């Protein structure tokens, strides 16, 4: 950036931080045979199972913020690696339920430890994982995540010159 230009925008910084985190987690969980996206899915599944849920792929997509089609792709890959099992929901034959296998439980528990250590390292400048600044930062992130973003309307002749 040039000396006279404004600093980075919040959107740019969020994007940079998200990419930094994704790359760091990818590298940290690669020795366990996982990608960052697979870790997110498996760790979320672990958490939901821990409170007694056997979530559908749709429920897991909603929980993680991932697209349902991507969750399906990740689930198939994790299933082929023996880490999760996919079964039809007895209440809805269109839905697929997911559960970690014993091997999946072991892998994800190890991955959670690795990622928690990485998270502690990343949050050290704010005082660490349990620090007041980290809690405030987490609250700010939750506030931003709760804001619905309307899909953009294509700029075509029918919308030009109109105010929504």
């Amino acid at each position: 950036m040039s000396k006279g230009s404004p600093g980075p925008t919040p959107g740019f910084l969020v994007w940079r931080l998200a990419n930094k985190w994704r790359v760091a987690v990818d590298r940290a969980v690669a020795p366990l045979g996982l990608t960052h996206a697979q870790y997110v899915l498996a760790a979320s599944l672990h958490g939901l199972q821990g409170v007694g849920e056997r979530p559908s792929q749709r429920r897991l997509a909603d929980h993680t913020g991932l697209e349902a089609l991507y969750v399906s792709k990740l689930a198939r890959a994790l299933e082929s690696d023996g880490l999760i099992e996919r079964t039809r929901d007895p209440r809805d034959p269109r839905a697929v339920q997911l559960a970690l296998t014993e091997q999946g439980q072991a892998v994800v528990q190890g991955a959670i430890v690795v990622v928690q250590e990485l998270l502690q390292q990343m949050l050290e400048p704010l005082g660490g994982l349990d620090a007041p600044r980290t809690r405030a930062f987490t609250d700010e992130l939750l506030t931003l995540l709760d804001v619905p973003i309307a899909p953009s309307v294509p700029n075509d002749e029918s919308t030009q010159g109109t105010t929504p």
Side-chain angles (χ1 to χ4, degrees):
M1 299 204 165
S2 68
K3 196 172 187 177
S5 69
T9 66
F12 178 74
L13 294 174
V14 167
W15 178 76
R16 289 277 316 271
L17 184 59
N19 279 313
K20 179 179 181 177
W21 180 247
R22 183 193 50 78
V23 168
V25 174
D26 263 337
R27 289 179 180 152
V29 298
L32 300 168
L34 297 172
T35 65
H36 179 251
Q38 289 172 329
Y39 167 76
V40 168
L41 191 79
S44 295
L45 183 54
H46 174 74
L48 292 171
Q49 279 185 217
V51 296
E53 278 193 56
R54 186 175 173 119
S56 67
Q57 288 183 169
R58 164 56 50 201
R59 167 78 173 101
L60 208 49
D62 292 343
H63 178 77
T64 61
L66 296 170
E67 293 292 327
L69 192 59
Y70 191 43
V71 168
S72 177
K73 179 181 174 185
L74 291 170
R76 288 179 196 278
L78 291 168
E79 180 183 41
S80 71
D81 290 342
L83 302 181
I84 68 168
E85 58 186 18
R86 301 166 66 244
T87 56
R88 290 280 171 210
D89 185 333
R91 297 163 301 191
D92 181 357
R94 297 168 297 161
V96 175
Q97 291 181 320
L98 303 175
L100 289 166
T101 62
E102 282 187 40
Q103 178 187 356
Q105 285 282 358
V107 169
V108 80
Q109 287 170 352
I112 288 170
V113 169
V114 168
V115 172
Q116 285 296 309
E117 290 170 0
L118 184 61
L119 188 57
Q120 179 66 30
Q121 177 186 348
M122 182 179 215
L123 293 172
E124 200 57 45
L126 299 180
L129 194 55
D130 297 319
R133 284 183 67 194
T134 299
R135 285 192 294 278
F137 178 61
T138 301
D139 290 343
E140 297 291 352
L141 291 172
L142 288 168
T143 298
L144 295 175
L145 286 169
D146 284 342
V147 175
I149 298 178
S152 61
V153 177
N155 210 2
D156 64 20
E157 290 177 20
S158 67
T159 62
Q160 287 182 354
T162 62
T163 305

